[in-house]
PDB file of all heavy atoms in Angstrom:
ATOM      1  N   LEU A  87     -48.359  30.851  17.807  1.00 46.00           N
ATOM      2  CA  LEU A  87     -47.808  30.346  19.055  1.00 46.00           C
ATOM      3  C   LEU A  87     -46.369  30.729  19.203  1.00 46.00           C
ATOM      4  O   LEU A  87     -45.637  30.915  18.223  1.00 46.00           O
ATOM      5  CB  LEU A  87     -47.951  28.825  19.091  1.00 46.00           C
ATOM      6  CG  LEU A  87     -49.394  28.287  19.032  1.00 46.00           C
ATOM      7  CD1 LEU A  87     -49.365  26.748  19.007  1.00 46.00           C
ATOM      8  CD2 LEU A  87     -50.217  28.774  20.201  1.00 46.00           C
ATOM      9  N   GLY A  88     -45.891  30.830  20.430  1.00 47.00           N
ATOM     10  CA  GLY A  88     -44.512  31.063  20.685  1.00 47.00           C
ATOM     11  C   GLY A  88     -44.173  32.541  20.537  1.00 47.00           C
ATOM     12  O   GLY A  88     -45.011  33.388  20.187  1.00 47.00           O
ATOM     13  N   ARG A  89     -42.859  32.855  20.769  1.00 52.00           N
ATOM     14  CA  ARG A  89     -42.410  34.237  20.662  1.00 52.00           C
ATOM     15  C   ARG A  89     -42.384  34.630  19.197  1.00 52.00           C
ATOM     16  O   ARG A  89     -42.058  33.825  18.325  1.00 52.00           O
ATOM     17  CB  ARG A  89     -41.006  34.347  21.243  1.00 52.00           C
ATOM     18  CG  ARG A  89     -40.959  34.142  22.747  1.00 52.00           C
ATOM     19  CD  ARG A  89     -39.507  34.363  23.241  1.00 52.00           C
ATOM     20  NE  ARG A  89     -39.084  35.705  22.998  1.00 52.00           N
ATOM     21  CZ  ARG A  89     -37.856  36.118  23.211  1.00 52.00           C
ATOM     22  NH1 ARG A  89     -36.943  35.264  23.637  1.00 52.00           N
ATOM     23  NH2 ARG A  89     -37.521  37.360  22.954  1.00 52.00           N
ATOM     24  N   PRO A  90     -42.748  35.857  18.903  1.00 61.00           N
ATOM     25  CA  PRO A  90     -42.684  36.297  17.524  1.00 61.00           C
ATOM     26  C   PRO A  90     -41.244  36.359  17.017  1.00 61.00           C
ATOM     27  O   PRO A  90     -40.317  36.644  17.759  1.00 61.00           O
ATOM     28  CB  PRO A  90     -43.296  37.708  17.556  1.00 61.00           C
ATOM     29  CG  PRO A  90     -43.147  38.160  18.977  1.00 61.00           C
ATOM     30  CD  PRO A  90     -43.195  36.926  19.808  1.00 61.00           C
ATOM     31  N   HIS A  91     -41.066  36.010  15.724  1.00 76.00           N
ATOM     32  CA  HIS A  91     -39.746  36.052  15.122  1.00 76.00           C
ATOM     33  C   HIS A  91     -39.476  37.487  14.624  1.00 76.00           C
ATOM     34  O   HIS A  91     -40.369  38.170  14.123  1.00 76.00           O
ATOM     35  CB  HIS A  91     -39.710  35.112  13.922  1.00 76.00           C
ATOM     36  CG  HIS A  91     -39.901  33.680  14.291  1.00 76.00           C
ATOM     37  ND1 HIS A  91     -38.892  32.948  14.918  1.00 76.00           N
ATOM     38  CD2 HIS A  91     -40.956  32.834  14.117  1.00 76.00           C
ATOM     39  CE1 HIS A  91     -39.332  31.698  15.119  1.00 76.00           C
ATOM     40  NE2 HIS A  91     -40.575  31.638  14.677  1.00 76.00           N
ATOM     41  N   ILE A  92     -38.255  37.913  14.822  1.00 88.00           N
ATOM     42  CA  ILE A  92     -37.823  39.252  14.327  1.00 88.00           C
ATOM     43  C   ILE A  92     -36.716  38.985  13.347  1.00 88.00           C
ATOM     44  O   ILE A  92     -35.545  38.857  13.721  1.00 88.00           O
ATOM     45  CB  ILE A  92     -37.354  40.160  15.472  1.00 88.00           C
ATOM     46  CG1 ILE A  92     -38.428  40.289  16.519  1.00 88.00           C
ATOM     47  CG2 ILE A  92     -36.989  41.536  14.930  1.00 88.00           C
ATOM     48  CD1 ILE A  92     -38.010  41.089  17.736  1.00 88.00           C
ATOM     49  N   PRO A  93     -37.034  38.875  12.054  1.00 94.00           N
ATOM     50  CA  PRO A  93     -36.000  38.512  11.069  1.00 94.00           C
ATOM     51  C   PRO A  93     -34.924  39.601  10.975  1.00 94.00           C
ATOM     52  O   PRO A  93     -35.177  40.787  11.122  1.00 94.00           O
ATOM     53  CB  PRO A  93     -36.794  38.425   9.763  1.00 94.00           C
ATOM     54  CG  PRO A  93     -38.242  38.209  10.181  1.00 94.00           C
ATOM     55  CD  PRO A  93     -38.352  38.985  11.474  1.00 94.00           C
ATOM     56  N   LEU A  94     -33.727  39.162  10.696  1.00 96.00           N
ATOM     57  CA  LEU A  94     -32.563  40.030  10.524  1.00 96.00           C
ATOM     58  C   LEU A  94     -32.118  40.024   9.068  1.00 96.00           C
ATOM     59  O   LEU A  94     -32.165  38.998   8.412  1.00 96.00           O
ATOM     60  CB  LEU A  94     -31.404  39.565  11.407  1.00 96.00           C
ATOM     61  CG  LEU A  94     -31.688  39.414  12.923  1.00 96.00           C
ATOM     62  CD1 LEU A  94     -30.478  38.734  13.576  1.00 96.00           C
ATOM     63  CD2 LEU A  94     -31.937  40.781  13.548  1.00 96.00           C
ATOM     64  N   GLU A  95     -31.650  41.183   8.608  1.00 97.00           N
ATOM     65  CA  GLU A  95     -31.103  41.257   7.288  1.00 97.00           C
ATOM     66  C   GLU A  95     -29.971  42.315   7.277  1.00 97.00           C
ATOM     67  O   GLU A  95     -29.924  43.164   8.142  1.00 97.00           O
ATOM     68  CB  GLU A  95     -32.147  41.626   6.231  1.00 97.00           C
ATOM     69  CG  GLU A  95     -32.815  42.962   6.456  1.00 97.00           C
ATOM     70  CD  GLU A  95     -33.881  43.229   5.440  1.00 97.00           C
ATOM     71  OE1 GLU A  95     -33.979  42.464   4.473  1.00 97.00           O
ATOM     72  OE2 GLU A  95     -34.642  44.218   5.598  1.00 97.00           O
ATOM     73  N   ILE A  96     -29.110  42.228   6.299  1.00 98.00           N
ATOM     74  CA  ILE A  96     -28.059  43.220   6.149  1.00 98.00           C
ATOM     75  C   ILE A  96     -28.669  44.557   5.881  1.00 98.00           C
ATOM     76  O   ILE A  96     -29.534  44.697   5.017  1.00 98.00           O
ATOM     77  CB  ILE A  96     -27.081  42.812   5.034  1.00 98.00           C
ATOM     78  CG1 ILE A  96     -26.434  41.466   5.309  1.00 98.00           C
ATOM     79  CG2 ILE A  96     -26.012  43.890   4.801  1.00 98.00           C
ATOM     80  CD1 ILE A  96     -25.580  41.423   6.542  1.00 98.00           C
ATOM     81  N   ASP A  97     -28.217  45.580   6.618  1.00 97.00           N
ATOM     82  CA  ASP A  97     -28.738  46.940   6.455  1.00 97.00           C
ATOM     83  C   ASP A  97     -27.911  47.646   5.403  1.00 97.00           C
ATOM     84  O   ASP A  97     -26.697  47.853   5.525  1.00 97.00           O
ATOM     85  CB  ASP A  97     -28.633  47.681   7.780  1.00 97.00           C
ATOM     86  CG  ASP A  97     -29.356  49.009   7.789  1.00 97.00           C
ATOM     87  OD1 ASP A  97     -29.737  49.480   6.683  1.00 97.00           O
ATOM     88  OD2 ASP A  97     -29.559  49.567   8.907  1.00 97.00           O
ATOM     89  N   THR A  98     -28.522  48.028   4.294  1.00 97.00           N
ATOM     90  CA  THR A  98     -27.855  48.739   3.208  1.00 97.00           C
ATOM     91  C   THR A  98     -28.153  50.220   3.211  1.00 97.00           C
ATOM     92  O   THR A  98     -27.741  50.917   2.258  1.00 97.00           O
ATOM     93  CB  THR A  98     -28.233  48.107   1.851  1.00 97.00           C
ATOM     94  OG1 THR A  98     -29.656  48.252   1.669  1.00 97.00           O
ATOM     95  CG2 THR A  98     -27.837  46.658   1.753  1.00 97.00           C
ATOM     96  N   ALA A  99     -28.834  50.726   4.238  1.00 96.00           N
ATOM     97  CA  ALA A  99     -29.286  52.099   4.228  1.00 96.00           C
ATOM     98  C   ALA A  99     -28.313  53.053   4.874  1.00 96.00           C
ATOM     99  O   ALA A  99     -28.424  54.270   4.687  1.00 96.00           O
ATOM    100  CB  ALA A  99     -30.634  52.199   4.926  1.00 96.00           C
ATOM    101  N   ARG A 100     -27.302  52.577   5.626  1.00 96.00           N
ATOM    102  CA  ARG A 100     -26.492  53.480   6.442  1.00 96.00           C
ATOM    103  C   ARG A 100     -25.053  53.586   5.957  1.00 96.00           C
ATOM    104  O   ARG A 100     -24.428  54.634   6.173  1.00 96.00           O
ATOM    105  CB  ARG A 100     -26.502  53.047   7.900  1.00 96.00           C
ATOM    106  CG  ARG A 100     -27.902  53.144   8.505  1.00 96.00           C
ATOM    107  CD  ARG A 100     -27.928  52.664   9.935  1.00 96.00           C
ATOM    108  NE  ARG A 100     -27.076  53.463  10.831  1.00 96.00           N
ATOM    109  CZ  ARG A 100     -27.021  53.264  12.138  1.00 96.00           C
ATOM    110  NH1 ARG A 100     -27.748  52.347  12.727  1.00 96.00           N
ATOM    111  NH2 ARG A 100     -26.208  54.045  12.895  1.00 96.00           N
TER     112      ARG A 100
END
Side-chain angles (χ1 to χ4, degrees):
L87 300 177
R89 294 182 62 187
H91 297 286
I92 305 176
L94 304 171
E95 63 182 349
I96 299 298
D97 190 346
T98 60
R100 296 178 63 175

